[in-house]
Amino acid sequence: MDVDGLGSGAAAIGALADPTRRALYEYVARQPDAVGRDATAAALGIAKHTVSFHLDRLAEQGLLEVEFRRLSGRSGPGAGRPSKLYRRSPREFAVTLPPRRYDLVGDILAGAVGRAGAGADLDAALAESAHAEGRSVAEEAAGVPSPAGLPELATVLAGQGYEPSVSPDAVALENCPFDALAQKHTALVCGLNRSFVQGVADGLGCAGVTARLEPDPGRCCVTVRTDGQAAGRGE
């Protein structure tokens, strides 16, 4: 699942708040093939210039895709100009407040199942899969200097929904992106969470920092601390 950042996802979904735009999106989404402005305007009884404006706005937000094709199927001189056609985008949008990343847990668990199927110990497979996923997130982060410090680590973790708070010696995480699962399967999910955050730190080259389990009601169970700093709770 291609899950956008909160801002872009909210903007895309917010585009559907307009009743006309929502009706156009729903019409295009129901069609088995890409559809043009003329057919859409005729089907919904909306002026063509209004249809064109709203369809293009939906495309700008990533909700629709645009293609150009001659509907007659003819080519060459006299075939006419290609028509601008619209179809629903395959992208998925999700906006939750506070941010949640249950898809990320799914990826970690799927990776762990594969490792365990290849003969790895299950607990080790879970930790390794979470750490590898964290490193992958770090590697995909753009514009982060190497080696990174706590502020850069916080920036990357913010992109995963953690809502970090940075102090000179620690990064506290105010939001758990896996909250509902963590409440039901606390030991499992919190362990994955710690391994994932450590993987992000290691992938960014953050030297001398450790992700620790420090459960605190209303916050993420993980805090990242510089090595040697006393932890408030847990290891």
Side-chain angles (χ1 to χ4, degrees), residues 170-184:
V171 177
L173 305 175
E174 305 297 336
N175 178 60
C176 175
F178 322 122
D179 182 66
L181 284 176
Q183 291 185 38
K184 294 180 180 179

Side-chain angles (χ1 to χ4, degrees), residues 19-78:
T20 299
R21 203 168 294 162
R22 185 168 63 252
L24 289 167
Y25 175 79
E26 291 173 349
Y27 173 76
V28 172
R30 290 195 302 266
Q31 306 313 304
D33 196 4
V35 63
R37 293 171 289 187
D38 290 341
T40 302
L44 298 182
I46 302 174
K48 181 180 175 181
H49 69 274
T50 300
V51 167
S52 299
F53 171 77
H54 286 302
L55 288 178
D56 286 339
R57 285 295 303 275
L58 290 168
E60 289 172 6
Q61 295 295 341
L63 292 162
L64 298 180
E65 290 186 340
V66 174
E67 64 182 71
F68 292 87
R69 189 192 336 142
R70 291 185 174 90
L71 297 178
S72 66
R74 297 165 54 197
S75 59

Side-chain angles (χ1 to χ4, degrees), residues 23 39 44 68 72 75 93 99-100 103 112 114 117 138 153-155 188 211 213 226:
L44 298 182
F68 292 87
S72 66
S75 59
F93 295 85
R100 303 296 185 218
D103 60 309
L153 173 60
T155 297
L188 171 64
L213 288 180
T226 56

Side-chain angles (χ1 to χ4, degrees), residues 3-16:
V3 183
D4 280 19
L6 181 60
S8 59
I13 294 174
L16 298 176

Side-chain angles (χ1 to χ4, degrees), residues 186-195 210-216 220-225 231-235:
T186 304
L188 171 64
V189 176
C190 289
L192 296 180
N193 198 359
R194 178 173 61 176
S195 295
T210 301
R212 302 173 181 269
L213 288 180
E214 299 182 15
D216 194 0
C220 179
C221 61
V222 176
T223 298
V224 181
R225 297 187 180 276
R233 296 179 182 85
E235 276 299 321

